[in-house]
Amino acid sequence: MRCVIIESMEYNIQSQHDKGKLHAIERISVLCDKDSFMEIYSGIRHNCTSFGMATKDIPYDGVITGFGKINGRTVAVYAQDFSVQGGSLGLKHGQKIAELIARAIEARCPVIGINDSGGARIQEGVDSLCGYGELFFQNVRASGSVPQISIIAGPCAGGAVYSPGITDFIFTIDSISNLFITGPKVVKSVMFLDISAEDLGGAIVHAKKSGVAHFRSENEKDCYEKVRRLLDYIPHAYGERRLPKPQFRFNAHKKQKDIAHVLPENARQGYDVRLIIHATVDDDSFFETSAEFAVNCVTGFAQIEGQSVGIIANNPAGVGGVLDSDASDKIARFVRYCDAYDVPLVTFVDVPGFIPGPQEEQKGIIRHGAKVIYAYCEATVPKITVIVRKAYGGAYIAMCSKHLGADYVYAWPQAEIAVMGAEGAIGILYAKEMNDPAKAAELAAAAEKYKNEIMSPAIAAQRGYISEIIAPDKTRHYVAHSLHFLMDKRSADRPPKKHGNIPL
């Protein structure tokens, strides 16, 4: 660590502490392994001469860049320093970050950005915008090549939000993080609306409502610990297959007992699908992403026999587990990330369908739902699906069915696979008899027949759509063995093309 900077910036460090924030150098020190960070381009200075800038010296042009280690592995890190010219981004500032990302692509290591900036440096005019543009260009070059992580550790406004928006994971911190295209002052002047920065773009807003943030922490220390943990689950570059293989633990007796009693007797009753996830993956290994957004589905990383996997699941505890626009975006984005870095996918299905109604139709559920289908079809990683209860209609197809290229699809005995539930189907097939009390027994018998002859997983198994009907307590066994069989899976042949056109 360059102690000379710390010694010369004592006043500015204190100014950060007064705001309840760590200084950029302290943040890097907490994030990286001890004494592992090496700063580069510390001597760079701006070349602006307008509006008093000619005589203004801005150390390292307001952003510290370099390479360090996290959990013993190399990472590229940059940290904007709000105590220096408000961390504003000028031409050289932007080029420093862009250069760091370019070198990280060559070094095949993740990029972690700590964002704390007042935005574009107004005195530099179009040069500042050029700095942003070059940064965005490198963000896109890096996408799918090396993981990019953004930590929002202060304000992030205007064009500055689009660099984090391009990256893979965004971490926010309560009472510190702010992201918005236009701040409260502009909103008031244009829309005559009084709103605080926290209500407009605080950590809670983006973790729960917008879905922009993947993780939210109560404080900076917790945030950096989560970043370090995430890096243990994901490859550090495309094509890397040498993730750490910790000694996995799995309490088979306890978890087999737990999973056998997850499903309620009442098929309409909800339950938390995390119970199934925890009973399937290695002990204490599930690391959830976007936990507060689109709670009708669950996504996250886990380990099964020490191998990292991506978990996707419908969650009946949230809006019955239906697929809506937000859940579709959350699932599709996560699936595409895992596929980009060859992380196998394990999907747990309990979905009554896509959500009906004018609100979601107007929001674009067709377009958003299509993203899930596209993402699963496009993915060439090992894909294992477990249908635990309901799998109805288009949502059954979308949630990584055999028809979308799943390698293995397993179903619990209680699973129901059909166009719709029995009551809905009988309501259509026997529409004229529905209001006749004398037909009640006949309708009940028809519903039971529909369940047995149409919805049973045995029917799908006979057609070859289900690989095997399994007991719930055998889920871990089948998933783990399937992952082992698919370890060396190679991408299927694709028709010649530049790239597809996902329905964004």
Side-chain angles (χ1 to χ4, degrees):
M1 201 55 88
R2 296 182 71 252
C3 297
V4 64
I5 294 180
I6 295 178
E7 292 171 0
S8 65
M9 300 295 292
E10 287 181 1
Y11 172 79
N12 290 322
I13 289 176
Q14 186 58 48
S15 73
Q16 284 288 88
H17 290 181
D18 291 342
K19 296 182 178 72
K21 302 193 295 184
L22 296 177
H23 185 271
I25 297 171
E26 295 173 316
R27 287 167 168 167
I28 293 173
S29 181
V30 173
L31 176 66
C32 294
D33 296 347
K34 185 178 180 181
D35 299 327
S36 69
F37 182 72
M38 179 187 74
E39 186 179 0
I40 57 175
Y41 300 117
S42 63
I44 281 185
R45 297 294 188 271
H46 71 86
N47 53 14
C48 179
T49 58
S50 302
F51 292 94
M53 291 291 287
T55 57
K56 185 169 288 188
D57 179 47
I58 303 176
Y60 42 84
D61 206 39
V63 61
I64 301 170
T65 58
F67 289 88
K69 291 184 182 294
I70 291 180
N71 303 326
R73 305 197 62 195
T74 300
V75 295
V77 181
Y78 71 85
Q80 294 177 314
D81 185 353
F82 193 82
S83 70
V84 179
Q85 197 69 21
S88 59
L89 188 143
L91 175 63
K92 295 298 183 181
H93 181 125
Q95 288 178 336
K96 275 185 68 173
I97 302 174
E99 172 72 10
L100 181 76
I101 297 172
R103 298 289 77 77
I105 295 171
E106 294 174 354
R108 293 173 52 74
C109 71
V111 180
I112 304 169
I114 304 174
N115 296 264
D116 188 2
S117 168
R121 191 172 296 161
I122 297 173
Q123 298 94 322
E124 294 197 27
V126 71
D127 280 346
S128 175
L129 302 180
C130 173
Y132 275 124
E134 294 189 19
L135 168 55
F136 300 161
F137 186 81
Q138 292 299 332
N139 284 141
V140 174
R141 281 192 70 233
S143 184
S145 176
V146 295
Q148 298 179 88
I149 295 170
S150 295
I151 299 167
I152 311 302
C156 192
V161 300
Y162 288 113
S163 176
I166 296 169
T167 62
D168 300 303
F169 298 103
I170 296 178
F171 288 75
T172 56
I173 307 160
D174 287 345
S175 303
I176 290 178
S177 304
N178 288 132
L179 298 94
F180 29 64
I181 299 298
T182 52
K185 292 181 180 179
V186 177
V187 170
K188 183 175 182 179
S189 66
V190 174
M191 302 182 68
F192 308 104
L193 175 66
D194 275 312
I195 188 168
S196 68
E198 193 67 22
D199 290 337
L200 182 61
I204 292 176
V205 169
H206 289 302
K208 291 186 175 183
K209 295 182 179 180
S210 74
V212 168
H214 301 87
F215 300 93
R216 179 171 70 93
S217 298
E218 293 183 357
N219 54 64
E220 290 199 53
K221 182 179 179 181
D222 178 57
C223 175
Y224 303 134
E225 282 301 317
K226 286 179 179 176
V227 173
R228 291 174 62 89
R229 187 180 179 198
L230 173 64
L231 288 169
D232 272 343
Y233 284 88
I234 59 176
H236 284 207
Y238 167 71
E240 180 192 70
R241 292 179 178 268
R242 57 183 186 88
L243 276 174
K245 297 268 186 173
Q247 290 294 319
F248 66 88
R249 292 174 292 109
F250 184 75
N251 188 331
H253 178 73
K254 178 182 183 301
K255 291 192 173 183
Q256 285 175 356
K257 185 177 179 180
D258 290 345
I259 201 170
H261 299 93
V262 167
L263 294 186
E265 290 185 12
N266 183 351
R268 293 186 175 184
Q269 186 177 338
Y271 63 92
D272 193 336
V273 76
R274 294 177 186 85
L275 297 171
I276 295 175
I277 296 170
H278 287 299
T280 303
V281 304
D282 295 353
D283 293 350
D284 303 319
S285 74
F286 183 54
F287 187 48
E288 190 170 355
T289 63
S290 303
E292 299 177 281
F293 176 67
V295 295
N296 39 329
C297 69
V298 172
T299 58
F301 297 100
Q303 291 173 343
I304 296 179
E305 295 188 352
Q307 179 180 355
S308 285
V309 296
I311 302 286
I312 304 98
N314 309 114
N315 193 11
V319 204
V322 295
L323 283 177
D324 58 10
S325 295
D326 286 345
S328 297
D329 282 357
K330 176 176 169 178
I331 291 171
R333 173 75 170 169
F334 185 77
V335 167
R336 296 194 89 216
Y337 177 84
C338 290
D339 185 54
Y341 290 96
D342 289 329
V343 177
L345 297 169
V346 178
T347 303
F348 294 97
V349 181
D350 189 347
V351 61
F354 284 97
I355 192 168
Q359 183 175 348
E360 282 294 318
E361 293 291 358
Q362 293 167 17
K363 194 174 180 180
I365 183 62
I366 296 171
R367 174 168 50 86
H368 294 288
K371 296 175 187 178
V372 179
I373 296 172
Y374 194 105
Y376 271 124
C377 288
E378 185 183 44
T380 59
V381 294
K383 295 182 286 191
I384 301 164
T385 300
V386 181
I387 301 174
V388 300
R389 196 167 63 170
K390 298 175 182 176
Y392 294 167
Y396 151 70
I397 303 171
M399 290 301 298
C400 203
S401 62
K402 180 74 172 179
H403 327 294
L404 300 193
D407 296 291
Y408 297 104
V409 179
Y410 301 111
W412 288 7
Q414 304 95 322
E416 299 177 347
I417 307 167
V419 175
M420 61 182 67
E423 291 182 4
I426 296 305
I428 294 173
L429 295 174
Y430 294 84
K432 294 181 179 179
E433 292 90 346
M434 289 304 293
N435 296 321
D436 186 350
K439 299 285 186 179
E442 180 183 338
L443 294 172
E448 191 65 25
K449 181 179 180 181
Y450 189 87
K451 286 182 180 179
N452 295 332
E453 296 186 6
I454 303 297
M455 302 178 69
S456 168
I459 306 300
Q462 290 171 11
R463 303 290 194 274
Y465 307 148
I466 300 296
S467 306
E468 196 71 25
I469 298 172
I470 63 173
D473 62 4
K474 296 295 184 183
T475 302
R476 159 84 173 198
H477 171 82
Y478 276 90
V479 171
H481 277 266
S482 298
L483 287 169
H484 178 75
F485 294 147
L486 296 167
M487 188 176 300
D488 295 320
K489 178 185 176 183
R490 291 293 178 260
S491 300
D493 291 336
R494 299 286 180 173
K497 58 182 175 180
K498 187 175 183 180
H499 58 70
N501 185 21
I502 186 170
L504 296 176

